[in-house]
Amino acid sequence: MESSRARRGRRARPSRRRALLCTALAVVAVGGVTAGGTVYVKGRARAGAGAVSSAAAPSVTASAGAGEEASVREPAAVDRKAVLSAAMAGVEVPSGARVSAAVLAPGSGESAVYGDASFDTASIVKVDILAALLLQAQDAGRRLTAQERAYATRMIENSDNASATALWHAIGRAAGLDAANERFGLTDTSGGDGELWGLTRTTASDQLVLLQQVFEEDSKLSAASRTYLQGLMKSVEPDQQWGVSAAAEGNSWALKNGWLPRSTTGLWDVNSIGRVTVDGTDYLVAVLSDGTASQARGISLVEEAAKAAVGAFGDK
């Protein structure tokens, strides 16, 4: 026959089981979502128990004391501007020359700009001219004429200046370019005087904004207009396939280059803008330069800068 003490012990067991169950259920509590979108879980841990995470990215440290909340440390964000500046510091810039670079990784939204100086566009403005023409045609509810398309092809693929001049007039010269750029979101670009479209002034940052209009869905240009312009930039003639393409894998690029010897100094403006793909990731890149003694030296400078800039974004 059971003693009264045994009966009391048997009645106490369910109560202890319930207490243990409640303690176990209290171990895990959903903590939230990281800045990068990774859901993480942090717990009220027993001594020696670690917090639970859905991904390895957050660093989790469990407190040694029972019932204390575990801490979650997010991975430190990469300062892309600092990384880009460090990468560009390794680029050899000839005495008296200048270079500026801007990069955007559309997939992550990360971007950085090195240098805020203004430069002559030279022939990279031809992308802007065609973008303005396409925007005006959209407004009018029409397609480009056969003649306009012929001019556009020669202007982008062959960098033909006569075709650029014809379309410069078609958009209303500097006034038309500036009006389109205001809608595109460019704030530091101004069209060249009179016929001098190549002396349009711009910044690397503004060229990155223009590239977003050409390559991204959130654009004033329609999908058809963007596809058309991108196709031309993927088809530049072989002797113009330099510049930002130096940072790409194989032929995974679309670009437009510009080069101009300044009669006042004898020095060169050399620029390159476009999209490149590296390790499956797309990058929009703009590199502007001036003050080199030759076109060849300007091309080398732009290509070195493009590789350094894109490489800075490849670093995790």
Side-chain angles (χ1 to χ4, degrees):
M1 190 172 186
E2 291 180 322
S3 68
S4 61
R5 179 178 295 177
R7 286 196 298 273
R8 285 197 301 273
R10 188 181 61 200
R11 286 196 298 271
R13 288 190 189 99
S15 177
R16 285 197 297 273
R17 285 197 295 269
R18 283 195 297 272
L20 288 172
L21 178 59
C22 290
T23 301
L25 291 174
V27 169
V28 178
V30 175
V33 180
T34 69
T38 301
V39 177
Y40 67 88
V41 179
K42 63 183 180 182
R44 293 186 176 278
R46 296 186 301 273
V52 180
S53 174
S54 65
S59 173
V60 181
T61 303
S63 171
E68 294 184 9
E69 187 168 75
S71 63
V72 176
R73 293 193 300 273
E74 296 294 338
V78 177
D79 185 343
R80 291 298 179 193
K81 183 176 181 180
V83 175
L84 176 59
S85 295
M88 293 297 291
V91 175
E92 183 181 352
V93 181
S95 177
R98 301 184 304 163
V99 66
S100 180
V103 184
L104 167 68
S108 66
E110 290 186 301
S111 66
V113 179
Y114 174 82
D116 58 3
S118 180
F119 294 78
D120 300 326
T121 58
S123 285
I124 61 170
V125 75
K126 292 169 181 176
V127 172
D128 205 358
I129 291 172
L130 182 51
L133 179 66
L134 289 166
L135 185 63
Q136 291 178 358
Q138 287 176 199
D139 291 344
R142 71 174 183 86
R143 297 181 178 181
L144 298 189
T145 66
Q147 183 62 76
E148 287 171 336
R149 292 177 72 88
Y151 284 143
T153 298
R154 292 196 294 270
M155 178 176 72
I156 301 297
E157 293 185 359
N158 311 114
S159 205
D160 181 68
N161 291 337
S163 295
T165 298
L167 295 183
W168 178 248
H169 282 274
I171 66 170
R173 299 194 296 183
L177 188 78
D178 292 345
N181 283 341
E182 183 175 0
R183 294 169 65 185
F184 290 148
L186 280 69
T187 58
D188 293 307
T189 300
S190 56
D193 292 335
E195 305 294 290
L196 302 177
W197 44 260
L199 296 186
T200 295
R201 300 287 289 179
T202 194
T203 61
S205 180
D206 256 16
Q207 288 304 298
L208 208 57
V209 174
L210 177 62
L211 289 170
Q212 288 176 271
Q213 292 293 314
V214 175
F215 289 99
E216 295 194 42
E217 292 183 3
D218 185 14
S219 171
K220 298 296 183 183
L221 297 177
S222 68
S225 293
R226 296 195 308 273
T227 299
Y228 172 63
L229 185 41
Q230 291 170 28
L232 295 177
M233 293 176 70
K234 292 175 182 176
S235 304
V236 298
E237 64 183 53
D239 65 350
Q240 296 177 25
Q241 295 176 7
W242 47 265
V244 297
S245 57
E249 288 181 341
N251 294 322
S252 58
W253 51 261
L255 62 78
K256 182 69 189 81
N257 297 322
W259 58 99
L260 175 69
R262 293 305 311 272
S263 58
T264 54
T265 63
L267 301 176
W268 284 78
D269 299 329
V270 180
N271 308 316
S272 185
I273 61 172
R275 182 180 67 186
V276 301
T277 304
V278 182
D279 293 332
T281 300
D282 291 334
Y283 299 95
L284 303 181
V285 190
V287 182
L288 311 180
S289 78
D290 63 17
T292 54
S294 66
Q295 180 186 5
R297 186 63 189 92
I299 291 173
S300 295
L301 173 59
V302 165
E303 292 189 335
E304 186 180 352
K307 288 186 285 188
V310 174
F313 271 66
D315 296 334
K316 302 299 182 185

